[in-house]
Amino acid sequence: MRLYNLLETDQARSRLALYLNHFLIFLILANVLAVIIESEPSIGRPHSGWFWRFEIFSVTVFLLEYLARLWCCIEKAEYQGMPAWRARLKYAVTPMALVDLIAILPFLLSLFLTLDLRYLRLLRVMRLMKLTHYFQGFNVFLSVIQKELKSITGALVVMLVLIVIAASLMYTLESQRQPEVFGSIPRSLWWAVVTMTTVGYGDVTPLTTAGRVVATFIMLIGVGLVALPAGMLAARFGEELRERKRSLHLHIEQALADGQVDEAEYQLLKDLAEKLDISDEDLEKNIALLKQSNRTGRCPLCGHQT
Amino acid sequence: MRLYNLLETDQARSRLALYLNHFLIFLILANVLAVIIESEPSIGRPHSGWFWRFEIFSVTVFLLEYLARLWCCIEKAEYQGMPAWRARLKYAVTPMALVDLIAILPFLLSLFLTLDLRYLRLLRVMRLMKLTHYFQGFNVFLSVIQKELKSITGALVVMLVLIVIAASLMYTLESQRQPEVFGSIPRSLWWAVVTMTTVGYGDVTPLTTAGRVVATFIMLIGVGLVALPAGMLAARFGEELRERKRSLHLHIEQALADGQVDEAEYQLLKDLAEKLDISDEDLEKNIALLKQSNRTGRCPLCGHQT
Amino acid sequence: MRLYNLLETDQARSRLALYLNHFLIFLILANVLAVIIESEPSIGRPHSGWFWRFEIFSVTVFLLEYLARLWCCIEKAEYQGMPAWRARLKYAVTPMALVDLIAILPFLLSLFLTLDLRYLRLLRVMRLMKLTHYFQGFNVFLSVIQKELKSITGALVVMLVLIVIAASLMYTLESQRQPEVFGSIPRSLWWAVVTMTTVGYGDVTPLTTAGRVVATFIMLIGVGLVALPAGMLAARFGEELRERKRSLHLHIEQALADGQVDEAEYQLLKDLAEKLDISDEDLEKNIALLKQSNRTGRCPLCGHQT
Amino acid sequence: MRLYNLLETDQARSRLALYLNHFLIFLILANVLAVIIESEPSIGRPHSGWFWRFEIFSVTVFLLEYLARLWCCIEKAEYQGMPAWRARLKYAVTPMALVDLIAILPFLLSLFLTLDLRYLRLLRVMRLMKLTHYFQGFNVFLSVIQKELKSITGALVVMLVLIVIAASLMYTLESQRQPEVFGSIPRSLWWAVVTMTTVGYGDVTPLTTAGRVVATFIMLIGVGLVALPAGMLAARFGEELRERKRSLHLHIEQALADGQVDEAEYQLLKDLAEKLDISDEDLEKNIALLKQSNRTGRCPLCGHQT
């Protein structure tokens, strides 16, 4: 019964839950750092005992966390009125639960199978994705990407088409001079990607005059195109910021309908502001602005009498 | 008569047309992929028979598609009241029809002429452009580029002038130390383009102190300038998004004039939203917002009483 | 008298002046192209006679143009009421006139002095700047840069400070391992600039572990910072676009005060739109929008009843 | 008493203070330049005497400046009513005072300790940070970064996670082929950072086919992600510009309440505009715009009758 209560508070905002969260974030980071350092032979081999013990400790904690989350998931509002086993099964296939499972699976697998150490390490680094549990600052970020998915996919498709055409062009022009690196279209693709992302290693470069002239045009076009998706995301991001501010304005205006923002209304606005990633300071400034604009009868946007 | 009906449904939204479209998109992609893979000698030679048969099959389908499109084009609204041969001739010179023709021409040419295999492959990769038939998500993208064409051309001209001046400067300073790569202005142009697009292969770098000092300034200026066109496109893109939203608002307001959005009006708004690349979800949200703002008499933009 | 008239029409919009302008633009481009191609020894030497004759022809034309412009400058409104020699002297020191002078000076100098061929070519490439006479699409571009000059200077100063600090850091960490390329702060500066502009030639890279760790942070910070000025320019560019549209709206509204846009008002709006780089199509759309919004009494921005 | 007055004017806008400021800025720049040039052995060694004398002179001036600032800080409004020693102690731990202290400390330390010359130079280059005293154009810049700190941190965390995952992937795929550079995850990190920031030195590149395919995806994703924070900053920067303009509009409207902008009101607006980094020219234009819009009763934003 005590365990159950502790688990429940995991969702609440008690002091214990906060410490638990910080401990788990720290453990994930320490764990990934340990995997990274251990992979360096000069460090990993002499201290393999310590790394092994830390790994066992971490997996035990993550396993307990996974089981505890699975146990108490039935308390969630969305699983109410379901039989316990169905709620748990439903929770087990959510992305969050799968990420938690992947974090402990490699260790369990390595007990029964003999995996290549390098693949095992890759799987253990994936524990970083457990951090998504604890980060809520990404929601602006994610909602922007989601809304722009169509345009970004469009830009990516255009880019892929251009990369394929660039690779084919260079294959046509350079394959006789440099058969090793431009001898087929798949081989030329490496050059095309390295060039159009402006990484430009320089391990493969055109040597013929025709190849260089065509490469010049590919670079000039590629550079602009590759920067577009990020620019479009940034533009939408600005739009998102403005929309959030408008939404806040609407709610402040409603709260100000009686000329005052009382305690309860202020708490509601604060919750909304937090959800929209708007700082408390900005909230106060906006309330003051709208109060003044109500008093003087001027539009808060253009300062004009209405 | 059956063929004619099938072809006609190509423009409609029937289930068969949808399958046909998906099949053609898949065939184009598979075809280009086959060309890419075949160009790798270690794969292409042993299986050349299979690739040959797939090529014949694809060309046959594309040829049939081309003839079918040419046949039924006379049904289009814009060609009504013309003699059939004139309508077909007019259709045959539209960009769409030319792209389709280019997709089948290389094969037909190769039957009569002996073309270099590499050039043939390049022409076959160009079949990717047939995809423009099926993609409608590009219209924001294209309309933005079209509207910003003037500024982008301006930025490109400035860039080209800077590249020529940079190449001349480096030719002046480095041609004696490295006559092979900086020995003339055209040779220096390769360095100038590789540097100002920030690709930076490193196959050609200034070695004299004077060359490096000048190159430093060229890089600092070039980097900012090269990123400008993409930034300008992104800014215009944000503007385009806002304009589309305004256009939608106007139409929603008109539909809301009687206080309600009935079935027919909703269908019209949905068509408009699709044309403007606005998701159904966003449409609903905007309708709700404007309904509320009408009820409370507040501006939906600034939340202010009007 | 005929020469004078011809020169005068240079400022007007007659057919002859248009042809003259196009001819001069073409001559500048052909000239610069000739200089570029001539610098390639394998082409320049065998045909040096032709290039020489073309150069003499171009310089003669440019000289005539310069003298003609100097002659007719006294007709300009701003020089009215001055003695002719003072007006001409005043015109001769404007940037435009100086650019024209620089375009012909190298040839005249080379008649009396023996200049290094490479420096002479550099000066002749500078003739590209004569193009500024004929391009009016840059005014959005220039006005944006001018307005953002303060922020851009700020960002550049921050960047320069960071580059100096990065170079000093790498000098401290790498100078013992690679004395040739990191042996002093000025030498390290080359690495710092190549890295922070993301050009990354790879001719100089840190080899010590400490150097690589510090270089990692320099790259992560540098990349964001270097992209900032372009992003700020783009943001201001978007702002500029919006301001221009507002200015146009104000003028359309004034023209619509009597409910109609008559011929004279339309011509005025068209002139304004051209000055603001707004296309005729956009102008028509905005007029229609504002007409409708006047009829229905709705705000053209938010579609709301006012 | 005279010294005290001179020091006091340091905060005021007298002619003497202006000269003093310019002299100090010049001294900082000359000093850093001297350190940079001195580090080049071919220049530094023969003239070490001159550099030594200039260093002693600079440090003396900086020391005097530090003591003077410490002395007169008690006059500041925020330290009024405190005992002198407490005010001075409080001032000594402000970032500004610490920067000043760091600028003189290296020299004082080198008198007692024998420091490595390279570390000493690094500390002396840090004197560049003293420039923050004299630059006030950064406040837009800094306030934007501060407001976007949350989103930027988010983007940076995502980037770091991606870099670690990319390094682990390449370690898995390439460690057997290139144990020297991909032999452990920390070693692979160098490649991951160099690639995802698009610097691309080319000193380390994947050689296996699997490695190149994975690297392709890492580049395509990385490029977009790395450009995001700068884009987000730029979008917020645009937002900041708009907000500042709105704030100015509100104040102009208040000043225009009586239909006129008198001398005192204009001075207030000018101070505000300077604080908001808005040019005098823009201020005049905005006042004229709002005056006209008041007269005609049209909104200055949309030109619409209100």
Side-chain angles (χ1 to χ4, degrees):
Chain A
M1 199 64 184
R2 266 187 75 196
L3 173 73
Y4 174 79
N5 273 324
L6 179 69
L7 291 166
E8 195 57 22
T9 53
D10 192 82
Q11 268 81 40
R13 292 189 183 184
S14 81
R15 183 158 289 247
L16 189 60
L18 200 76
Y19 285 145
L20 196 65
N21 275 355
H22 281 176
F23 168 68
L24 284 171
I25 291 173
F26 172 78
L27 192 64
I28 295 167
L29 292 177
N31 206 272
V32 171
L33 207 70
V35 176
I36 289 175
I37 293 168
E38 192 192 356
S39 76
E40 177 66 46
S42 62
I43 302 170
R45 245 167 254 165
H47 306 88
S48 60
W50 290 103
F51 284 114
W52 177 245
R53 267 164 249 155
F54 182 57
E55 170 73 8
I56 289 181
F57 170 68
S58 313
V59 169
T60 314
V61 173
F62 291 151
L63 185 63
L64 286 175
E65 184 205 355
Y66 179 70
L67 293 177
R69 277 182 200 276
L70 202 64
W71 183 261
C72 75
C73 74
I74 50 171
E75 303 293 323
K76 279 194 179 167
E78 53 198 288
Y79 297 138
Q80 291 302 343
M82 274 190 204
W85 65 269
R86 246 191 97 186
R88 291 210 178 94
L89 199 72
K90 217 159 185 180
Y91 174 75
V93 295
T94 59
M96 279 293 188
L98 286 176
V99 162
D100 282 358
L101 188 62
I102 288 168
I104 46 174
L105 218 61
F107 184 80
L108 299 179
L109 280 179
S110 72
L111 293 181
F112 304 106
L113 305 162
T114 46
L115 276 169
D116 187 333
L117 202 64
R118 287 174 300 143
Y119 288 97
L120 200 65
R121 263 178 202 139
L122 181 61
L123 285 168
R124 277 160 66 195
V125 166
M126 294 299 165
R127 280 176 196 161
L128 271 176
M129 294 195 302
K130 269 176 80 75
L131 284 177
T132 45
H133 270 298
Y134 306 102
F135 247 122
Q136 261 146 15
F138 292 138
N139 54 4
V140 190
F141 197 74
L142 282 177
S143 79
V144 166
I145 288 183
Q146 206 172 352
K147 281 184 185 169
E148 272 314 292
L149 208 60
K150 224 170 157 184
S151 326
I152 290 171
T153 316
L156 274 180
V157 168
V158 172
M159 213 163 87
L160 287 177
V161 167
L162 272 184
I163 284 173
V164 168
I165 289 177
S168 308
L169 271 168
M170 293 311 281
Y171 157 72
T172 310
L173 296 168
E174 291 275 331
S175 66
Q176 284 189 325
R177 177 84 177 265
Q178 304 184 73
E180 195 54 50
V181 287
F182 285 111
S184 71
I185 299 179
R187 286 182 206 176
S188 304
L189 275 172
W190 175 246
W191 173 84
V193 171
V194 167
T195 299
M196 289 186 77
T197 55
T198 77
V199 170
Y201 289 132
D203 52 349
V204 187
T205 52
L207 295 178
T208 65
T209 307
R212 289 190 167 186
V213 170
V214 171
T216 297
F217 287 100
I218 291 170
M219 278 180 226
L220 289 176
I221 295 168
V223 164
L225 223 111
V226 163
L228 252 191
M232 278 150 79
L233 273 183
R236 179 63 134 188
F237 182 79
E239 191 66 9
E240 184 80 17
L241 285 178
R242 234 162 293 134
E243 233 160 73
R244 277 164 190 238
K245 193 157 280 171
R246 265 175 225 160
S247 175
L248 189 69
H249 269 209
L250 262 174
H251 283 90
I252 296 178
E253 275 286 337
Q254 281 172 354
L256 278 174
D258 54 354
Q260 278 289 39
V261 180
D262 59 38
E263 200 60 26
E265 285 171 343
Y266 186 70
Q267 198 51 50
L268 275 170
L269 287 175
K270 228 173 146 179
D271 284 1
L272 180 73
E274 201 186 339
K275 230 183 69 192
L276 298 178
D277 274 332
I278 293 167
S279 72
D280 282 9
E281 196 189 341
D282 262 27
L283 174 63
E284 304 274 357
K285 230 166 83 184
N286 276 301
I287 293 177
L289 195 73
L290 284 168
K291 251 186 192 160
Q292 189 200 348
S293 105
N294 265 8
R295 212 171 38 242
T296 58
R298 287 170 198 288
C299 170
L301 253 88
C302 54
H304 198 73
Q305 187 83 36
T306 48
Chain B
M1 199 63 187
R2 265 186 76 196
L3 173 74
Y4 175 78
N5 273 324
L6 180 70
L7 291 166
E8 195 57 24
T9 52
D10 193 81
Q11 268 80 40
R13 290 189 185 186
S14 81
R15 185 159 288 247
L16 189 61
L18 201 75
Y19 285 144
L20 196 66
N21 275 354
H22 282 175
F23 168 70
L24 284 171
I25 291 172
F26 173 78
L27 193 65
I28 294 166
L29 292 177
N31 206 272
V32 171
L33 208 69
V35 176
I36 290 174
I37 293 169
E38 191 191 357
S39 76
E40 177 67 44
S42 62
I43 303 170
R45 248 167 252 165
H47 306 89
S48 60
W50 289 104
F51 284 114
W52 177 245
R53 267 166 248 153
F54 183 57
E55 171 72 10
I56 289 180
F57 170 69
S58 312
V59 169
T60 315
V61 173
F62 291 150
L63 186 62
L64 285 176
E65 186 205 352
Y66 180 70
L67 293 177
R69 276 183 200 275
L70 201 64
W71 183 261
C72 76
C73 74
I74 49 171
E75 303 292 323
K76 280 195 180 166
E78 53 197 288
Y79 298 136
Q80 291 301 344
M82 275 190 202
W85 66 268
R86 246 191 99 187
R88 291 212 177 93
L89 199 73
K90 215 157 187 183
Y91 174 76
V93 294
T94 58
M96 279 291 188
L98 286 175
V99 163
D100 281 357
L101 188 63
I102 287 167
I104 46 175
L105 218 62
F107 184 81
L108 299 179
L109 281 180
S110 71
L111 293 181
F112 304 106
L113 305 162
T114 46
L115 275 169
D116 187 333
L117 201 65
R118 287 173 302 142
Y119 288 98
L120 201 64
R121 265 181 201 136
L122 181 61
L123 284 168
R124 277 160 67 196
V125 166
M126 294 298 166
R127 280 176 196 161
L128 270 176
M129 294 195 303
K130 269 177 79 75
L131 284 177
T132 45
H133 270 298
Y134 306 103
F135 247 120
Q136 262 146 14
F138 292 139
N139 53 4
V140 189
F141 198 74
L142 281 176
S143 79
V144 165
I145 287 183
Q146 206 172 352
K147 281 185 185 167
E148 272 314 292
L149 208 60
K150 222 170 159 184
S151 325
I152 290 171
T153 316
L156 274 180
V157 168
V158 172
M159 214 162 86
L160 286 178
V161 167
L162 272 184
I163 284 173
V164 168
I165 290 177
S168 307
L169 271 168
M170 294 309 282
Y171 157 72
T172 311
L173 296 168
E174 291 275 331
S175 65
Q176 283 189 325
R177 177 83 177 265
Q178 304 183 72
E180 196 54 50
V181 288
F182 284 111
S184 71
I185 298 178
R187 287 183 206 175
S188 304
L189 275 172
W190 175 246
W191 173 85
V193 171
V194 167
T195 299
M196 288 187 78
T197 55
T198 77
V199 171
Y201 288 132
D203 52 349
V204 187
T205 52
L207 295 178
T208 64
T209 307
R212 288 191 166 185
V213 169
V214 170
T216 296
F217 287 100
I218 292 170
M219 278 181 225
L220 288 176
I221 295 167
V223 164
L225 224 111
V226 163
L228 252 191
M232 278 149 80
L233 273 183
R236 180 63 135 188
F237 181 79
E239 191 67 9
E240 184 79 17
L241 284 178
R242 234 162 294 136
E243 233 159 72
R244 276 163 192 240
K245 193 157 280 170
R246 264 175 226 161
S247 174
L248 189 70
H249 269 208
L250 262 173
H251 284 90
I252 296 177
E253 275 287 337
Q254 281 171 354
L256 277 174
D258 54 355
Q260 277 290 39
V261 179
D262 60 37
E263 201 61 25
E265 285 171 343
Y266 186 71
Q267 197 52 49
L268 276 170
L269 287 175
K270 227 173 145 179
D271 284 0
L272 180 73
E274 201 186 339
K275 230 184 68 191
L276 297 178
D277 274 333
I278 293 168
S279 72
D280 283 9
E281 197 189 341
D282 263 27
L283 174 63
E284 303 274 356
K285 231 167 81 186
N286 276 301
I287 293 177
L289 194 73
L290 284 168
K291 252 185 193 164
Q292 190 200 347
S293 105
N294 266 7
R295 212 169 41 242
T296 59
R298 284 169 200 289
C299 170
L301 255 87
C302 53
H304 198 73
Q305 188 82 37
T306 48
Chain C
M1 198 64 184
R2 265 186 77 199
L3 173 74
Y4 175 78
N5 273 325
L6 180 69
L7 291 166
E8 195 56 24
T9 53
D10 192 79
Q11 267 81 38
R13 291 190 184 185
S14 81
R15 183 159 290 245
L16 189 61
L18 202 75
Y19 284 144
L20 196 66
N21 275 355
H22 281 177
F23 167 69
L24 284 172
I25 291 173
F26 173 78
L27 192 65
I28 295 167
L29 292 177
N31 205 273
V32 171
L33 209 68
V35 176
I36 290 175
I37 292 169
E38 191 191 356
S39 75
E40 177 66 45
S42 63
I43 303 169
R45 245 165 257 165
H47 306 88
S48 59
W50 290 103
F51 284 114
W52 177 245
R53 268 164 248 154
F54 183 57
E55 171 71 10
I56 288 180
F57 170 68
S58 313
V59 168
T60 315
V61 174
F62 292 151
L63 185 63
L64 286 176
E65 184 205 354
Y66 180 70
L67 294 176
R69 277 184 200 275
L70 202 64
W71 184 261
C72 76
C73 74
I74 50 170
E75 303 291 324
K76 280 196 180 166
E78 52 198 286
Y79 298 136
Q80 292 301 346
M82 275 190 204
W85 65 269
R86 245 190 100 188
R88 290 210 179 94
L89 199 73
K90 216 160 187 180
Y91 174 76
V93 294
T94 59
M96 279 293 188
L98 286 176
V99 163
D100 281 356
L101 188 64
I102 287 167
I104 46 174
L105 218 60
F107 184 81
L108 300 179
L109 280 180
S110 72
L111 292 181
F112 304 106
L113 305 161
T114 45
L115 274 169
D116 186 334
L117 201 65
R118 287 173 301 141
Y119 288 98
L120 200 65
R121 264 179 202 139
L122 182 61
L123 284 168
R124 276 160 67 195
V125 166
M126 294 299 167
R127 281 176 195 162
L128 270 175
M129 294 195 303
K130 270 177 78 77
L131 284 178
T132 44
H133 270 297
Y134 306 104
F135 246 121
Q136 261 147 12
F138 291 138
N139 54 3
V140 189
F141 198 73
L142 281 176
S143 79
V144 165
I145 287 183
Q146 206 172 352
K147 281 183 186 169
E148 272 315 292
L149 208 61
K150 222 170 158 184
S151 325
I152 290 171
T153 316
L156 274 180
V157 168
V158 172
M159 214 163 86
L160 286 177
V161 167
L162 273 185
I163 284 173
V164 167
I165 290 176
S168 307
L169 271 169
M170 293 311 281
Y171 157 71
T172 311
L173 296 169
E174 291 275 331
S175 66
Q176 283 189 325
R177 177 83 176 265
Q178 302 183 74
E180 195 54 51
V181 288
F182 285 112
S184 70
I185 298 179
R187 286 183 208 176
S188 304
L189 274 173
W190 175 246
W191 172 85
V193 171
V194 168
T195 300
M196 289 188 78
T197 55
T198 79
V199 170
Y201 289 132
D203 53 348
V204 186
T205 53
L207 295 178
T208 64
T209 307
R212 288 190 168 187
V213 170
V214 170
T216 297
F217 288 100
I218 291 170
M219 278 180 225
L220 289 176
I221 295 168
V223 164
L225 223 112
V226 164
L228 253 190
M232 278 149 79
L233 272 183
R236 179 64 134 188
F237 181 79
E239 191 66 9
E240 185 79 17
L241 285 177
R242 235 163 293 134
E243 232 160 73
R244 275 161 193 243
K245 193 156 279 171
R246 265 176 226 158
S247 174
L248 190 69
H249 269 209
L250 262 174
H251 284 89
I252 296 177
E253 275 286 337
Q254 283 171 352
L256 277 173
D258 54 355
Q260 278 288 38
V261 181
D262 59 38
E263 201 61 26
E265 284 170 344
Y266 186 71
Q267 198 51 52
L268 276 171
L269 287 175
K270 227 172 146 180
D271 284 0
L272 180 73
E274 201 185 339
K275 230 183 70 192
L276 298 178
D277 273 333
I278 293 168
S279 72
D280 282 9
E281 196 189 340
D282 262 28
L283 174 64
E284 303 274 357
K285 230 167 82 186
N286 276 302
I287 293 177
L289 194 74
L290 284 168
K291 251 185 192 162
Q292 190 200 345
S293 106
N294 266 7
R295 212 169 40 242
T296 60
R298 285 170 199 288
C299 170
L301 254 88
C302 54
H304 198 75
Q305 188 82 37
T306 48
Chain D
M1 201 63 188
R2 267 187 75 199
L3 173 74
Y4 175 80
N5 273 324
L6 178 70
L7 291 167
E8 196 56 24
T9 53
D10 192 80
Q11 267 81 40
R13 291 189 183 186
S14 81
R15 183 159 289 246
L16 189 60
L18 201 75
Y19 284 145
L20 196 65
N21 275 354
H22 281 177
F23 168 69
L24 284 171
I25 291 173
F26 172 78
L27 192 64
I28 295 168
L29 292 177
N31 205 272
V32 171
L33 208 69
V35 175
I36 290 175
I37 293 169
E38 191 192 357
S39 76
E40 177 66 46
S42 62
I43 302 169
R45 245 167 256 165
H47 306 89
S48 59
W50 291 103
F51 284 114
W52 176 245
R53 269 164 246 154
F54 183 57
E55 171 72 9
I56 288 180
F57 170 68
S58 313
V59 170
T60 314
V61 173
F62 292 150
L63 185 63
L64 286 175
E65 184 205 355
Y66 179 70
L67 293 176
R69 277 183 200 276
L70 201 65
W71 183 260
C72 75
C73 74
I74 50 170
E75 303 292 324
K76 278 193 182 169
E78 53 198 287
Y79 297 136
Q80 292 302 345
M82 274 191 204
W85 65 270
R86 245 190 100 187
R88 290 209 180 96
L89 200 72
K90 216 158 187 180
Y91 174 75
V93 295
T94 58
M96 279 293 189
L98 286 176
V99 162
D100 281 358
L101 188 63
I102 287 167
I104 46 174
L105 218 61
F107 184 80
L108 300 179
L109 280 180
S110 72
L111 292 181
F112 305 106
L113 304 161
T114 46
L115 275 168
D116 186 334
L117 201 65
R118 287 174 301 141
Y119 288 97
L120 200 65
R121 263 177 203 141
L122 181 60
L123 285 168
R124 277 159 65 195
V125 166
M126 294 298 166
R127 281 177 195 160
L128 270 176
M129 294 195 301
K130 269 176 80 76
L131 284 178
T132 44
H133 270 298
Y134 306 102
F135 247 121
Q136 261 146 13
F138 292 139
N139 54 4
V140 190
F141 198 73
L142 281 176
S143 79
V144 165
I145 288 183
Q146 206 171 353
K147 280 183 186 171
E148 272 315 292
L149 208 61
K150 223 171 158 184
S151 324
I152 290 171
T153 316
L156 274 180
V157 168
V158 172
M159 212 163 88
L160 286 178
V161 167
L162 273 184
I163 284 173
V164 168
I165 289 177
S168 308
L169 271 168
M170 294 310 282
Y171 157 71
T172 310
L173 296 168
E174 291 275 332
S175 65
Q176 283 190 326
R177 177 83 176 265
Q178 304 184 73
E180 196 53 50
V181 287
F182 285 112
S184 70
I185 299 179
R187 287 183 207 175
S188 304
L189 275 173
W190 176 247
W191 172 85
V193 170
V194 168
T195 299
M196 289 187 77
T197 55
T198 78
V199 171
Y201 289 132
D203 53 348
V204 186
T205 52
L207 295 178
T208 65
T209 307
R212 288 190 168 186
V213 170
V214 170
T216 298
F217 287 100
I218 291 170
M219 278 180 225
L220 289 176
I221 295 168
V223 164
L225 224 111
V226 163
L228 253 191
M232 278 150 79
L233 272 183
R236 179 63 134 188
F237 181 79
E239 191 66 9
E240 185 80 16
L241 284 179
R242 235 163 292 133
E243 232 159 74
R244 274 161 194 242
K245 193 157 279 172
R246 264 176 227 160
S247 176
L248 190 69
H249 269 208
L250 262 173
H251 284 89
I252 295 177
E253 275 286 337
Q254 281 171 354
L256 278 174
D258 54 354
Q260 279 287 40
V261 180
D262 59 40
E263 200 60 28
E265 284 171 343
Y266 186 71
Q267 198 51 51
L268 275 171
L269 288 175
K270 226 172 147 179
D271 283 1
L272 180 73
E274 200 186 340
K275 229 183 71 193
L276 298 177
D277 273 333
I278 293 167
S279 73
D280 283 9
E281 196 189 340
D282 262 28
L283 173 64
E284 303 274 357
K285 230 166 81 184
N286 276 302
I287 293 177
L289 194 73
L290 284 168
K291 252 186 192 160
Q292 189 199 347
S293 105
N294 266 7
R295 211 169 41 241
T296 59
R298 286 169 198 289
C299 170
L301 254 88
C302 52
H304 197 74
Q305 188 83 37
T306 47

